[in-house]
């Protein structure tokens, strides 16, 4: 597909988007801060999940300045359950840089935006085009799928060079101003609701069906080509819900690696039988009174699966290696990763054993 054909496709997408766009909260007032926040939250996360988080976050932190100054625990609590917590930490770091170096105003160009923590090529392109009307594409999986089907391209989208090639191809024909915003949002929208990743694409209502090579050749199922993902590593873990009186033990993870710096229920590697769990706990200073199984669960990260089994443990002593908090304190003030949602729910239903 040559540049003129791609320009035609862009024009069709823009016209379609003006009429078909969904009413999403970040589109109602697309300030740079709102675009940045929404695009960060939407990474690896469904729109339906993001909306209440976005609205609650903005109600508490309506400006870049308030984000820069927020307490870390409050920030994590606002993000609790959304996952990929480094996104929240980078938002705050970037906000502090914007306040210190840019007078509280996000820079307009993708190049400057990418200097901020947590803002990569995609997010920079989205902010630059949507909020500032810059002729800068934002290429994610939705955009790649649309372009690969449009052009019937056999290249493997898992290869970084393919994303770079598509980005450059789009950059050469990208419009400026309001049309830049409409094209960026329009091509994303097309990939989310019509040129969908799972199931049959809705070609009958697609604005590109008259020029889409995959559709015209009846080969939409062939594209995009993607090499198989590596299988996730499975890790078994045993989780302990340690109760002492009306307090429950929390542990803070180290500041590097998976779930860096997050609070968690104490846990250890492997699946311990009841006998093994009793022996493990006997070596601690907790003064264990009872230990009972409290269920199994699984949590999927990007590259790892945690297969967990848990025990509720009644203790005599609050060991100093943990923080001991009431169920109410944990539920209202401490952010626990969604990996522990199954066990956290037990606090909501029965806060003390």
């Amino acid at each position: 597909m040559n540049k003129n054909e791609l320009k035609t496709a862009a024009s069709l997408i823009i016209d379609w988007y003006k009429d078909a766009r969904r009413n999403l909260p970040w589109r109602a007032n697309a300030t740079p801060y709102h675009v940045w926040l929404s695009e960060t939250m939407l990474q690896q996360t469904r729109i339906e999940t993001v909306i209440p988080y976005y609205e609650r976050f903005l109600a508490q932190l309506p400006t870049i300045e308030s984000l820069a100054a927020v307490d870390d625990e409050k920030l994590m609590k606002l993000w609790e359950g959304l996952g990929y917590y480094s996104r929240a930490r980078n938002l705050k770091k970037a906000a502090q840089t914007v306040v210190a170096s840019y007078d509280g105003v996000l820079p307009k160009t993708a190049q400057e935006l990418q200097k901020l923590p947590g803002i990569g090529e995609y997010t920079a392109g989205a902010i630059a085009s949507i909020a500032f009307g810059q002729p800068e594409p934002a290429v994610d999986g939705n955009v790649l799928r649309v372009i690969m089907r449009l052009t019937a391209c056999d290249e493997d989208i898992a290869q970084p060079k393919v994303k770079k090639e598509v980005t450059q191809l789009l950059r050469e024909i990208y419009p400026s101003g309001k049309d830049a915003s409409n094209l960026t949002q329009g091509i994303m929208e097309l990939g989310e609701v019509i040129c969908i990743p799972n199931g049959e694409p809705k070609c009958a209502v697609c604005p590109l069906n008259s020029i889409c090579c995959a559709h015209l050749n009846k080969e939409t199922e062939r594209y995009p080509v993607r090499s198989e993902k590596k299988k996730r590593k499975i890790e078994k873990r045993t989780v302990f819900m340690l109760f002492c009186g009306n307090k429950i033990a929390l542990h803070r993870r180290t500041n590097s690696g998976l779930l860096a710096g997050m609070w968690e229920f104490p846990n250890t590697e492997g699946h311990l039988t009841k006998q093994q769990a009793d022996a493990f706990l006997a070596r601690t200073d907790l003064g264990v009174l009872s230990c009972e199984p409290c269920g199994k669960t699984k949590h999927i990260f990007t590259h790892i699966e945690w297969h967990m089994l848990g025990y509720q443990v009644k203790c005599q002593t609050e060991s100093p290696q943990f923080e001991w908090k009431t169920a109410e304190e944990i539920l209202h003030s401490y952010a626990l990763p969604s990996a522990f949602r199954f066990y956290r729910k037990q606090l909501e239903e029965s806060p003390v054993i």
Side-chain angles (χ1 to χ4, degrees), residues 63 76 78 124 128 136 157 169 231 241 270 282 303 315 318 323:
T63 65
M76 289 296 104
L78 287 170
E136 188 67 38
I157 63 168
L169 183 67
K231 288 188 176 180
M241 298 184 70
H303 303 298
C315 309
E318 293 183 7
E323 290 286 328

Side-chain angles (χ1 to χ4, degrees), residues 261-281:
M262 297 294 296
W263 291 103
E264 64 180 357
F265 295 120
N267 59 89
T268 189
E269 294 181 356
H271 279 176
L272 303 186
T273 64
K274 175 66 165 61
Q275 184 177 9
Q276 290 170 330
D278 287 338
F280 180 85
L281 293 166

Side-chain angles (χ1 to χ4, degrees), residues 302-321:
T302 305
H303 303 298
I304 297 173
E305 285 186 26
W306 275 6
H307 291 196
M308 293 169 280
L309 62 83
Y311 292 94
Q312 285 195 1
V313 183
K314 192 172 183 179
C315 309
Q316 288 180 305
T317 306
E318 293 183 7
S319 172
Q321 66 180 302

Side-chain angles (χ1 to χ4, degrees), residues 7-53:
K7 281 183 178 179
T8 299
S11 180
L12 290 170
I13 291 169
I14 290 167
D15 289 342
W16 168 81
Y17 176 73
K18 289 175 182 177
D19 294 328
R21 56 181 280 171
R22 288 172 292 176
N23 183 23
L24 300 174
W26 42 86
R27 290 176 178 167
N29 185 16
T31 68
Y33 178 41
H34 293 173
V35 174
W36 173 34
L37 177 61
S38 64
E39 289 297 337
T40 302
M41 286 185 164
L42 286 164
Q43 293 167 16
Q44 308 291 327
T45 312
R46 294 173 61 85
I47 287 175
E48 296 78 11
T49 301
V50 165
I51 289 174
Y53 279 94

Side-chain angles (χ1 to χ4, degrees), residues 48-263:
E48 296 78 11
T49 301
V50 165
I51 289 174
Y53 279 94
Y54 174 84
E55 292 175 336
R56 184 166 60 248
F57 195 100
L58 274 185
Q60 293 292 315
L61 305 173
T63 65
I64 291 177
E65 288 80 5
S66 60
L67 171 58
V70 69
D71 175 77
D72 286 346
E73 293 294 347
K74 180 177 180 179
L75 176 66
M76 289 296 104
K77 191 63 181 175
L78 287 170
W79 205 270
E80 184 182 28
L82 198 54
Y84 303 96
Y85 290 88
S86 61
R87 294 182 296 175
R89 294 191 186 92
N90 283 330
L91 273 170
K92 180 178 175 179
K93 289 178 185 176
Q96 290 173 331
T97 300
V98 170
V99 169
S101 303
Y102 296 93
D103 295 323
V105 179
L106 278 168
K108 292 183 178 182
T109 68
Q111 292 76 15
E112 283 295 308
L113 286 163
Q114 287 184 70
K115 295 177 182 179
L116 298 173
I119 297 185
E121 186 177 27
Y122 166 79
T123 305
I127 298 169
S129 57
I130 297 171
F132 296 114
Q134 299 286 318
E136 188 67 38
V139 177
D140 67 353
N142 286 316
V143 175
L144 284 172
R145 184 168 56 259
V146 170
I147 297 300
M148 294 298 108
R149 285 175 174 164
L150 179 66
T151 60
C153 179
D154 285 317
E155 293 194 71
D156 181 0
I157 63 168
Q159 299 297 318
K161 73 178 185 69
V162 175
K163 183 177 178 180
K164 288 182 179 180
E165 290 169 358
V166 170
T167 300
Q168 184 55 38
L169 183 67
L170 287 172
R171 186 176 286 125
E172 291 174 6
I173 61 92
Y174 230 74
S176 299
K178 189 61 178 175
D179 278 350
S181 174
N182 288 334
L183 180 55
T184 293
Q185 294 182 90
I187 198 168
M188 291 177 191
E189 187 100 331
L190 195 66
E192 289 165 0
V193 302
I194 290 181
C195 198
I196 55 178
N198 301 309
E200 193 74 22
K202 302 172 185 178
C203 298
V205 293
C206 178
L208 304 181
N209 58 20
S210 64
I211 60 172
C212 176
C213 295
H215 171 64
L216 294 173
N217 294 331
K218 301 187 185 326
E219 293 182 325
T220 53
E221 76 287 348
R222 181 178 169 184
Y223 307 99
V225 174
R226 185 188 184 102
S227 54
E228 283 191 29
K229 293 181 179 179
K230 291 182 180 179
K231 288 188 176 180
R232 295 188 192 93
K233 177 183 176 183
I234 294 177
E235 293 185 358
K236 295 180 179 179
R237 305 198 72 81
T238 298
V239 178
F240 296 103
M241 298 184 70
L242 306 176
F243 292 80
C244 186
N246 69 337
K247 301 287 186 68
I248 301 98
L250 291 180
H251 171 261
R252 192 191 285 275
R253 294 176 68 84
T254 62
N255 288 324
S256 61
L258 186 65
L259 302 177
M262 297 294 296
W263 291 103

